[in-house]
Amino acid sequence: MDLIATGLGHAYDGLTVLDDISLTVASGEIVALLGPSGCGKSTLLRMLGGLERPATGRVEMRGAPPAASLNPLTYVFQDFALVPWRTVAGNVALPLEHHRLGADERARRVAEALARVGLSDFAGAYPRQLSGGMKQRTAIARAFAVEPAVLLMDEPLSALDAQTRDLLIEDLVRLWTETRFTAVYVTHNVAEAVRLGHRVVVLSRRPGRIRAIVEIAEPLDRRREGSPALGAAREQIWDLVRGEAAAADREMVHG
Amino acid sequence: MAEPAVPPAEGTTDRAYPPATASPSGAPIRPVPFRGGGFAPRSLRFGAPATFLGLLGLWWAATQYGWVSPLALPKPEEVGRAFLDLATSGLLWQHLAASLWRLGLGWVIGAAAGTVVGFAIGLSSLARSTALPMVSAMFPVPKIALLPLFILWLGIGEVSKVATIAFGVFSPMAIAAFGGVDGVDRNLVRMAQSFGMPTRAIVLKIVLPGAMPALLSGARISASIGIILLTAAEMIGARYGIGALVLSAGNLMATDQLVAGVLVLSAMGLTVSKGIAAIEKRVLRWRA
Ligand SMILES: Nc1ncnc2c1ncn2[C@@H]1O[C@H](COP(=O)(O)OP(=O)(O)OP(=O)(O)O)[C@@H](O)[C@H]1O
Ligand SMILES: [Mg+2]
C-alpha cells in the first residue's frame, strides 16, 4: 500500500506551519522527514495518519493493505506512549484486543512481535522497570503486532541516549531487512536520516515546505560509516540544513 | 573567605564541618558532610499500637486518679463492660447491622452515580457545561440539612436516610472522578485512537485505569463523609443504628455505652480506610 499526500497545508490560529506538501510513500520504503524544530514535522505526520485534519490538501491510500493488517497506519511515538498499568505483553496486546482474533492468534502475534525486538524475556515486566531503549522496543513491538502497512515514527529515538540510539537503529535496519516495512521516519538528526532513509525529505523552517528530496541508493543493510555514496548524500543534506539554520538565525536577528 | 592552609586550632573549627586533618602536602582534608536524607516519612511498625495503648493508659489514669469526673468520662473498663453487654445481648449487632446496611447501600448508590457523572463531565462537553455547575453548587450544601426534606418526600424510614448518605457521597465522588479523568495522559488517548481503538475500549482500558488513583482517593473521602452523615441521620430518627445508640445513651447519661458507640464508629472508619488501602495496594501495584 502506498500513502499519498497532495498539497497539504496547515495553520494553527493563523500561524502557517505547513505549506503545499506533496509526497508519495511507496510500499517498502523508508522516507526520512528531516527539518528544523517547529517546522511542522509532527503536524505533518499526524495528518498522514489521520490524527489531525489538514486545512488544505488531502491524504490518500493507494492499494490494499496486507490482509493481516489490523491497523494500516500505525504510530511509534517519541515518548513511547506505553500504558503504565500493563506489562510489556499487555501493552503489545492492547491494540489487538478490539479485533476479532482467536486467543491463540493474539498470543502468537504478541510473542512474535516481542521476539522480533528481543523482549521475550521481559513480557511480564512493567514499563517502569524498563530502560528507555526497552520501552521504545516495546512500542515498536506493539506497532509490529498489528502488521501496519505504513509505520509513522515521530522522532522515535530522540528520548534515548546515543548508544541506545545506535543499537535501536541497527534493530530497525534488521527489522526492515526481515520484513521490508514501509515507514515515514521523522527526525532532526541528519545521521539518523541518512542511515535509515531510502529517501530523505528535507523541510524548510516554518512554514514547512519541501526544500529537497535526496535519494540514497545504497541498500540499508550495506550502509557503512564512511562509504562514499553515503558521504555525498550526507554532505548534500548538511548543506541544505545548514542553509536553513543560517537563514533562521538571520531572521532571529533582524526580527 | 580563603581556607586556612593549616588546620585551625582546636575549638575554633566551624561546627558544621568536622576538624580537618593535614594531608602530606599540607592542604587540609576533611570528609564531605552528609546533608541528604529525610523528607521520606515511613510508618513505624509499632507506632499505631503504641499510640493507642498510650492513649488508653492516659484515659485509664485520668479516670483512676480522679483527674476527670466519672460523670464526664467513664472508666475504660466500664466502657469495655458496656461493650460486652451490648455484644452479648445482641443489641450491638442489631445497631451495627442497621448502620452498615444504610452506609453500604447509600455509599454504593452515591459512589456509582458520582463516578458515572464525573466521567461524563470529564468526557463530554455537554455534561461539562450542564452537570459540572450543578455538582459544584451541590457540593458545599451540608447534606444533613436536606434530611428533613427527604423525610417529607420519602418518609421517616430507611429510604430518606439512604438518600441522604447517597447524596452526600455523590458530589465528592463526582468531583474526584472528573478530576481523575481530566488528569489522564492525553498522549495515551491519542495512542489508543491511533490504533483505531473504539471509544468504549478507550474509556475502559485507558481512561478508567488512569483515573483509578483519583477514584480510590475519592472513595476514601466519600466513605468518611458517608459515616458522618449516617450518624447524623440516625440521630434524627432511627430505632436502630450506632447513631441512635449513641444518642439514646446520651439521653440516659449512660456515658459508658455512649463511648462504646463512638469507638465502634471509629473502628468502622478505620476498617473502611484499611479496606481501601488494601484495594489501592492491589489495583495500583503498577505505580509502586
Ligand atoms: N496544537 C497546536 N496548537 C497551536 N500551535 C501548534 C500546535 N501544535 C503545534 N503547533 C505549532 O506548530 C508548529 C509546528 O509544530 P510541530 O510540532 O509540527 O513541529 P515539529 O517540526 O514536530 O517540531 P519539533 O522538532 O520540535 O518536534 C510549532 O511552531 C508549534 O508551536
Ligand atoms: Mg515534533
Side-chain angles (χ1 to χ4, degrees):
Chain A
M1 191 188 86
D2 308 331
L3 190 62
I4 306 164
T6 319
L8 287 183
H10 201 69
Y12 289 109
D13 328 303
L15 175 80
T16 309
V17 290
L18 279 174
D19 189 29
D20 194 28
I21 304 280
S22 296
L23 181 67
T24 299
V25 182
S27 182
E29 77 167 340
I30 300 180
V31 173
L33 267 180
L34 185 71
S37 193
C39 76
K41 304 182 294 294
S42 299
T43 307
L44 174 56
L45 204 66
R46 282 201 296 273
M47 296 194 302
L48 288 181
L51 286 184
E52 187 146 336
R53 256 192 208 101
T56 59
R58 58 186 191 278
V59 182
E60 291 152 323
M61 297 180 275
R62 181 169 58 200
S69 178
L70 299 177
N71 190 48
L73 304 174
T74 297
Y75 282 87
V76 174
F77 297 92
Q78 179 174 356
D79 65 353
F80 322 133
L82 295 181
V83 181
W85 49 85
R86 282 180 173 239
T87 60
V88 166
N91 268 286
V92 176
L94 180 69
L96 305 177
E97 288 169 359
H98 65 278
H99 291 283
R100 294 183 153 276
L101 298 175
D104 289 351
E105 164 72 357
R106 195 172 300 154
R108 188 192 61 75
R109 279 185 183 239
V110 172
E112 198 179 291
L114 286 180
R116 259 192 208 158
V117 298
L119 278 181
S120 300
D121 291 344
F122 294 88
Y126 282 92
R128 70 182 149 83
Q129 300 169 310
L130 303 178
S131 67
M134 286 156 90
K135 283 182 193 162
Q136 194 56 296
R137 274 165 31 213
T138 305
I140 291 170
R142 176 177 63 190
F144 271 103
V146 297
E147 307 241 356
V150 181
L151 270 178
L152 302 169
M153 311 174 98
D154 193 357
E155 305 196 31
L157 307 185
S158 62
L160 305 174
D161 62 85
Q163 285 81 0
T164 311
R165 206 179 301 176
D166 285 346
L167 288 175
L168 264 165
I169 288 182
E170 293 320 309
D171 278 354
L172 287 174
V173 168
R174 179 179 50 79
L175 282 170
W176 186 83
T177 318
E178 285 168 16
T179 66
R180 304 282 150 145
F181 63 83
T182 313
V184 180
Y185 186 99
V186 165
T187 180
H188 51 223
N189 180 320
V190 176
E192 262 175 45
V194 170
R195 182 72 187 86
L196 283 173
H198 296 102
R199 287 189 297 152
V200 179
V201 177
V202 183
L203 295 176
S204 68
R205 66 189 186 286
R206 197 179 67 214
R209 292 192 184 95
I210 295 182
R211 287 265 344 242
I213 299 182
V214 179
E215 297 229 17
I216 307 177
E218 194 102 327
L220 280 197
D221 49 341
R222 266 193 271 137
R223 292 187 187 178
R224 291 284 171 273
E225 205 54 48
S227 88
L230 231 50
R234 185 177 297 134
E235 272 314 304
Q236 189 186 350
I237 293 167
W238 262 119
D239 280 343
L240 291 161
V241 170
R242 215 175 287 135
E244 277 307 315
D249 217 33
R250 274 197 300 280
E251 256 173 21
M252 294 293 237
V253 174
H254 303 297
Chain B
M1 213 171 68
E3 281 293 322
V6 286
E10 193 109 37
T12 64
T13 43
D14 190 330
R15 283 193 61 219
Y17 295 91
T21 47
S23 67
S25 70
I29 293 180
R30 51 173 193 248
V32 173
F34 176 68
R35 41 195 180 162
F39 294 96
R42 303 173 296 129
S43 279
L44 299 176
R45 184 122 175 254
F46 300 108
T51 308
F52 279 114
L53 283 179
L55 281 174
L56 195 63
L58 199 66
W59 176 14
W60 180 82
T63 50
Q64 190 70 22
Y65 300 117
W67 302 344
V68 294
S69 142
L71 273 180
L73 191 66
K75 294 182 178 176
E77 57 264 36
E78 288 168 0
V79 172
R81 208 171 310 121
F83 182 82
L84 275 181
D85 284 347
L86 281 170
T88 48
S89 70
L91 216 53
L92 178 65
W93 312 119
Q94 237 168 329
H95 287 302
L96 194 59
S99 287
L100 287 181
W101 174 243
R102 287 174 193 135
L103 179 66
L105 194 62
W107 186 83
V108 166
I109 295 172
T115 305
V116 169
V117 170
F119 263 66
I121 294 174
L123 294 172
S124 114
S125 310
L126 180 67
R128 183 164 300 216
S129 35
T130 56
L132 182 57
M134 202 181 74
V135 171
S136 310
M138 244 159 58
F139 192 37
V141 175
K143 302 303 175 304
I144 199 67
L146 295 173
L147 181 60
L149 193 63
F150 285 154
I151 291 177
L152 280 179
W153 290 349
L154 305 166
I156 188 87
E158 294 303 311
V159 187
S160 57
K161 295 182 190 62
V162 170
T164 308
I165 295 168
F167 212 60
V169 165
F170 171 80
S171 332
M173 205 61 205
I175 287 175
F178 149 58
V181 173
D182 254 18
V184 172
D185 187 351
R186 293 299 125 158
N187 287 339
L188 290 183
V189 174
R190 293 284 169 268
M191 179 277 293
Q193 289 178 321
S194 81
F195 278 101
M197 281 171 66
T199 307
R200 211 182 104 88
I202 295 177
V203 171
L204 288 180
K205 294 177 187 172
I206 305 290
V207 179
L208 180 63
M212 197 48 90
L215 288 179
L216 286 171
S217 88
R220 204 184 266 278
I221 294 167
S222 64
S224 310
I225 293 178
I227 293 179
I228 295 172
L229 285 171
L230 166 77
T231 317
E234 288 176 343
M235 285 181 161
I236 287 180
R239 260 167 67 89
Y240 291 105
I242 303 293
L245 169 70
V246 168
L247 187 74
S248 70
N251 289 340
L252 299 172
M253 302 251 285
T255 46
D256 49 353
Q257 279 198 11
L258 193 155
V259 173
V262 170
L263 290 181
V264 170
L265 285 175
S266 164
M268 225 154 101
L270 269 180
T271 310
V272 168
S273 147
K274 286 272 174 212
I276 290 175
I279 296 175
E280 261 171 0
K281 209 168 166 183
R282 266 190 67 87
V283 176
L284 304 184
R285 211 173 13 194
W286 55 271
R287 280 212 302 194

